[in-house]
Amino acid sequence: MSERREIEMEGVEQLPLSEFTEKAYLDYSMYVILDRALPHVGDGLKPVQRRIVYAMSELGLSATAKFKKSARTVGDVLGKFHPHGDSAAYEAMVLMAQSFSYRYPLVDGQGNWGSADDPKSFAAMRYTESRLTRYSELLLGELGMGTVEWQPNFDGTIKEPILLPARLPNILLNGGSGIAVGMATDIPPHNLREVATAAIRLLENRKSTTEDLLEHIQGPDYPTDAEIITPKEDIDEIYRTGHGSIRMRALWEREGGDVVITALPHQVSGNKILEQVATQMRSKKLPMVDDLRDESDHENPTRLVVVPRSNRVDVDQLMSHLFATTDLERTYRVNLNMIGIDGRPGVKGIRQLLKEWLEFREQTVRRRLEHRLDKVLQRLHILEGLLVAYLNIDEVIAIIRSEDKPRPVLMKRFNLSEIQADAILDLKLRHLAKLEEIKIKGEQEELEEERQKLEQILDSTRRLRTMIRKEITADAEKYGDDRRSPIMVRSAAHAIDPTSLVPSEPVTAVLSEKGWVRAAKGHEVDVKGLNYKSGDSYLASAHGRSNRPIYFLDSSGRSYTVQANTLPSARGQGEPLTGRFSTPSGVRFIDVIGGEMKQKMVVASDAGYGFIATVGDLSSNKKAGKAFLRTPKGAEAMRVLSIDEDSRWLAVASNEGRLLLFSLQDLPELAKGKGNKMIGIPPKRVESREEFVAGIAVLSGSDGLTVISGKRKLKLKPSDLENYCGERGRRGSKLPRGFQRVEGLIAGIK
């Protein structure tokens, strides 16, 4: 069996799976990077774009030709050059035809090619028609002049160009984006005249710095009139490093009392803006906006009208808010990643990019001139032979008439080459006139003059670059236009604080024993008389304002924050706080706090530790809350007590009937923590719950104190309290008999 297996496996290459998969993935990665996702610095095109443009040129779809169905182009692209999905090829073609996507479109479309509001709304390729634009001549004009190398197509039946001989740096003019394996590219479009001027600057002086080039290139130039508001120093840094981000902002103007938005950032849909603003209006986050309209038409492609509620609305503040919260202001990533002239991908600064393109252009022009020179020399060689024939026309005719194979005889008699002899034999009788000899001599003189010029240019780098400069200048004059995206200095946009939009009204937040919360309007609310769920009852309440936060404290000492206006109405039974926050297992909510942020309060645990904090210290923006009061093992947090100007003393009582009074000044003021010891209770007794703090009370100098033990109350006058005064942290004095089981303290004699 093993012998048979060896015979079957003979001639089959065997590899470890890890080695095979590594090589396969590497091959795939390089294919995606080099042959799909990244543009080339030479012509600025990805393979599918290059093949579409070339296929259209082969179909004769120049800018002056009649339109042809797009399906015809896509069919040729797929059948001859790009064996992939038709929808992907057609989408690439559509992108090159959309004036709102491409700064200088390569395809001239007829029919529905999508809109700025919905770029994907283009018609199927069987309905649309297309041809190339005038701009595409910059890529195709020199294709048949020996300027580029060719490669077999996927099945080896025909050849296709490896690159197109771009006469301008299309890589910058139209930009491009793509995602490869482990890398991506985002090259913004630029203005043709600016890029051409910068290229000429670097061509004339190869020592030009990035700063020199940026005197000409202001920044990206998107196919929209919206403003670029990125600071100049940030734009310059992008061109130095090859990556960064560009920020665009919509254009708007005042028309009467309304705000009219006339231009949107690149690839931003007006419908999306309307939806974003309408969402804010529905959620009452834009009370200063009364109406929103889309008045866009053919004459005004972008016209969005925002109607303020009144003339008192600060329009500048409103627009700043919309810029900060909608796509009216948008950031675009810039990553100048491309395949260089060395065939390797890399991120390039603007100087390196233009330098490589100029090298590509010099090589292209040199090949074009060399190709033309070969043609001129070849024609001169033929003309030289024809002139010999005309000077000896009778003898040539005699040889042709008498010889069976006249070519070798002619070659030997007049010392001609095969090409010259064939040209003589191909002459027609009508070309034997005397006039033809004069034409040949005239053509010889013209070609000889052209030959000398070509050789002079090819022999001189300076003349070659002068020629390239003139061609770039002519193309910039022919195809260039003014900048569309102005670069402006604008202040940063700021969203309006949502709380500032909420009216300031008195509210009472109510917390139940089971942790359900609700809010009632006003401060005169019978909180205990509200309707509670079965098995639930009133626990705590706090007065606040509708535009301010309400804070909650749980038994573990964590604090939580909620905006008062988001609490459910007290007409119902509220909602559980556990639905809003992530609380530790076994923890319950014990208090609700409102009031001014700077209001001081006593925060304590029943282990006998506490400190003074402000209401604002409770603030937390996390769903899991904030670790506000650190409680010892076995201890729990207690409800907080407010402090006013008259507060002097803190009374602390343990459940075993010990009472201690000490000055509030002895407690530290902390933002969070465990605090200092208020009354001396052994930690082990707290952990076992044998002894703990049963009540605390804040007293003024004239306040008495009520001690509660079951149904019994001990009323202590200010003079009685002197017996319980002591230093903070002491055990305290024993209460009278019958009050060894304290349940709480109340400031004042109740």
Side-chain angles (χ1 to χ4, degrees), residues 213-465:
L213 301 180
L214 294 182
E215 293 177 10
H216 307 286
I217 299 179
Q218 301 177 40
D221 187 21
Y222 293 90
T224 172
D225 297 329
E227 299 174 339
I228 294 174
I229 61 170
T230 305
K232 183 70 167 67
E233 55 270 19
D234 292 349
I235 295 178
D236 292 352
E237 185 64 21
I238 290 172
Y239 288 125
R240 276 191 289 269
T241 63
H243 53 78
S245 61
I246 292 292
R247 200 163 190 80
M248 291 197 80
R249 181 178 289 183
L251 287 182
W252 64 281
E253 58 189 31
R254 296 184 186 183
E255 195 172 285
D258 299 342
V259 173
V260 180
I261 299 166
T262 57
L264 296 175
H266 182 48
Q267 293 179 333
V268 170
S269 162
N271 290 336
K272 179 79 175 291
I273 298 296
L274 293 173
E275 182 183 336
Q276 290 174 333
V277 177
T279 300
Q280 292 191 45
M281 292 174 66
R282 284 194 298 269
S283 60
K284 299 182 180 179
K285 293 181 179 179
L286 275 179
M288 71 285 287
V289 175
D290 185 56
D291 192 17
L292 186 67
R293 298 193 304 271
D294 184 0
E295 297 181 355
S296 305
D297 53 28
H298 289 293
E299 292 183 5
N300 303 288
T302 301
R303 184 179 169 83
L304 307 180
V305 182
V306 179
V307 182
R309 188 169 293 277
S310 70
N311 292 332
R312 295 190 300 274
V313 172
D314 187 338
V315 175
D316 292 322
Q317 184 185 32
L318 169 62
M319 292 307 297
S320 179
H321 172 78
L322 292 178
F323 289 141
T325 58
T326 70
D327 284 348
L328 286 175
E329 185 172 309
R330 191 169 175 182
T331 300
Y332 301 87
R333 189 178 67 165
V334 176
N335 185 21
L336 305 182
N337 191 9
M338 65 203 73
I339 300 172
I341 56 174
D342 58 357
R344 300 188 177 196
V347 177
K348 306 180 190 299
I350 192 70
R351 185 181 182 280
Q352 180 64 22
L353 190 158
L354 286 175
K355 179 184 175 185
E356 290 195 19
W357 182 81
L358 286 172
E359 290 178 20
F360 166 81
R361 183 60 187 157
E362 283 188 23
Q363 181 183 1
T364 301
V365 173
R366 186 174 293 278
R367 294 180 65 163
R368 186 188 80 201
L369 296 177
E370 288 173 349
H371 177 77
R372 177 58 186 167
L373 181 59
D374 289 342
K375 293 284 187 183
V376 169
L377 293 175
Q378 185 178 1
R379 181 60 180 167
L380 284 172
H381 181 64
I382 291 173
L383 290 176
E384 185 181 344
L386 291 177
L387 196 58
V388 169
Y390 278 110
L391 294 174
N392 302 277
I393 189 66
D394 294 333
E395 188 176 353
V396 168
I397 292 173
I399 292 173
I400 292 172
R401 290 185 64 185
S402 61
E403 298 290 338
D404 293 335
K405 294 182 179 181
R407 187 173 69 169
V409 178
L410 288 172
M411 291 171 61
K412 184 177 181 180
R413 170 66 184 85
F414 300 109
N415 195 23
L416 301 173
S417 67
E418 288 187 10
I419 296 174
Q420 290 173 321
D422 287 337
I424 293 170
L425 293 173
D426 289 339
L427 278 174
K428 295 181 180 179
L429 289 175
R430 66 183 179 190
H431 291 156
L432 298 179
K434 183 67 175 174
L435 189 61
E436 287 299 321
E437 183 179 340
I438 300 172
K439 286 183 179 180
I440 290 174
K441 289 182 178 179
E443 185 179 353
Q444 265 187 324
E445 291 176 1
E446 290 177 4
L447 291 177
E448 187 62 33
E449 185 179 346
E450 183 179 357
R451 180 187 66 80
Q452 291 177 3
K453 288 182 179 179
L454 289 172
E455 288 178 346
Q456 286 175 351
I457 294 172
L458 287 170
D459 291 340
S460 171
T461 302
R462 183 180 59 81
R463 290 183 177 179
L464 179 67
R465 291 179 178 175

Side-chain angles (χ1 to χ4, degrees), residues 551-561 581-585 587-591 593 603 617-618 620 622-631 636-637:
Y551 307 99
F552 298 90
L553 188 67
D554 70 16
S555 57
S556 70
R558 299 189 74 84
S559 62
Y560 307 83
T561 306
F581 305 120
S582 300
T583 56
S585 176
V587 169
R588 68 187 191 283
F589 289 95
I590 62 168
D591 204 0
I593 304 102
V603 183
D617 292 331
L618 291 161
S620 167
K622 296 180 181 178
K623 192 174 181 181
K626 169 186 176 181
F628 178 57
L629 171 64
R630 192 167 76 249
T631 54
E636 291 186 350

Side-chain angles (χ1 to χ4, degrees), residues 545-598:
R545 310 294 297 187
S546 57
N547 62 341
R548 294 181 183 173
I550 295 290
Y551 307 99
F552 298 90
L553 188 67
D554 70 16
S555 57
S556 70
R558 299 189 74 84
S559 62
Y560 307 83
T561 306
V562 169
Q563 290 299 321
N565 65 306
T566 66
L567 293 175
S569 171
R571 293 173 184 171
Q573 294 176 334
E575 65 178 43
L577 282 173
T578 52
R580 289 183 179 240
F581 305 120
S582 300
T583 56
S585 176
V587 169
R588 68 187 191 283
F589 289 95
I590 62 168
D591 204 0
V592 54
I593 304 102
E596 297 292 334
M597 301 286 282
K598 295 183 179 180

Side-chain angles (χ1 to χ4, degrees), residues 126-287:
R126 60 182 178 274
Y127 300 120
T128 60
E129 297 179 341
S130 57
R131 64 184 179 188
L132 292 169
T133 60
R134 288 176 62 249
Y135 175 83
S136 64
E137 272 299 304
L138 288 173
L139 302 175
L140 296 164
E142 299 176 355
L143 190 59
M145 301 180 183
T147 51
V148 296
E149 295 182 3
W150 298 72
Q151 65 183 3
N153 68 337
F154 63 91
D155 61 2
T157 55
I158 54 178
K159 290 188 176 296
E160 61 175 319
I162 296 176
L163 293 172
L164 297 182
R167 299 205 300 265
L168 287 174
N170 184 60
I171 186 76
L172 282 176
L173 303 185
N174 275 319
S177 62
I179 300 175
V181 178
M183 62 179 64
T185 182
D186 287 282
I187 305 172
H190 291 76
N191 184 267
L192 191 151
R193 289 175 181 167
E194 292 180 10
V195 172
T197 308
I200 291 172
R201 174 79 175 264
L202 187 59
L203 179 68
E204 292 177 337
N205 180 10
R206 289 306 176 98
K207 294 182 179 180
S208 297
T209 63
T210 300
E211 286 69 25
D212 295 334
L213 301 180
L214 294 182
E215 293 177 10
H216 307 286
I217 299 179
Q218 301 177 40
D221 187 21
Y222 293 90
T224 172
D225 297 329
E227 299 174 339
I228 294 174
I229 61 170
T230 305
K232 183 70 167 67
E233 55 270 19
D234 292 349
I235 295 178
D236 292 352
E237 185 64 21
I238 290 172
Y239 288 125
R240 276 191 289 269
T241 63
H243 53 78
S245 61
I246 292 292
R247 200 163 190 80
M248 291 197 80
R249 181 178 289 183
L251 287 182
W252 64 281
E253 58 189 31
R254 296 184 186 183
E255 195 172 285
D258 299 342
V259 173
V260 180
I261 299 166
T262 57
L264 296 175
H266 182 48
Q267 293 179 333
V268 170
S269 162
N271 290 336
K272 179 79 175 291
I273 298 296
L274 293 173
E275 182 183 336
Q276 290 174 333
V277 177
T279 300
Q280 292 191 45
M281 292 174 66
R282 284 194 298 269
S283 60
K284 299 182 180 179
K285 293 181 179 179
L286 275 179

Side-chain angles (χ1 to χ4, degrees), residues 5 12 15 24 27 104-105 118 139 141 167 184 249-250 279 289 325 391 422 424 438 485 498 510 528 685 688:
R5 177 71 174 169
V12 177
L15 285 173
D27 290 345
Y104 300 97
D118 188 4
L139 302 175
R167 299 205 300 265
R249 181 178 289 183
T279 300
V289 175
T325 58
L391 294 174
D422 287 337
I424 293 170
I438 300 172
S485 302
V510 183
K528 294 184 179 179
R685 291 179 64 81
S688 63

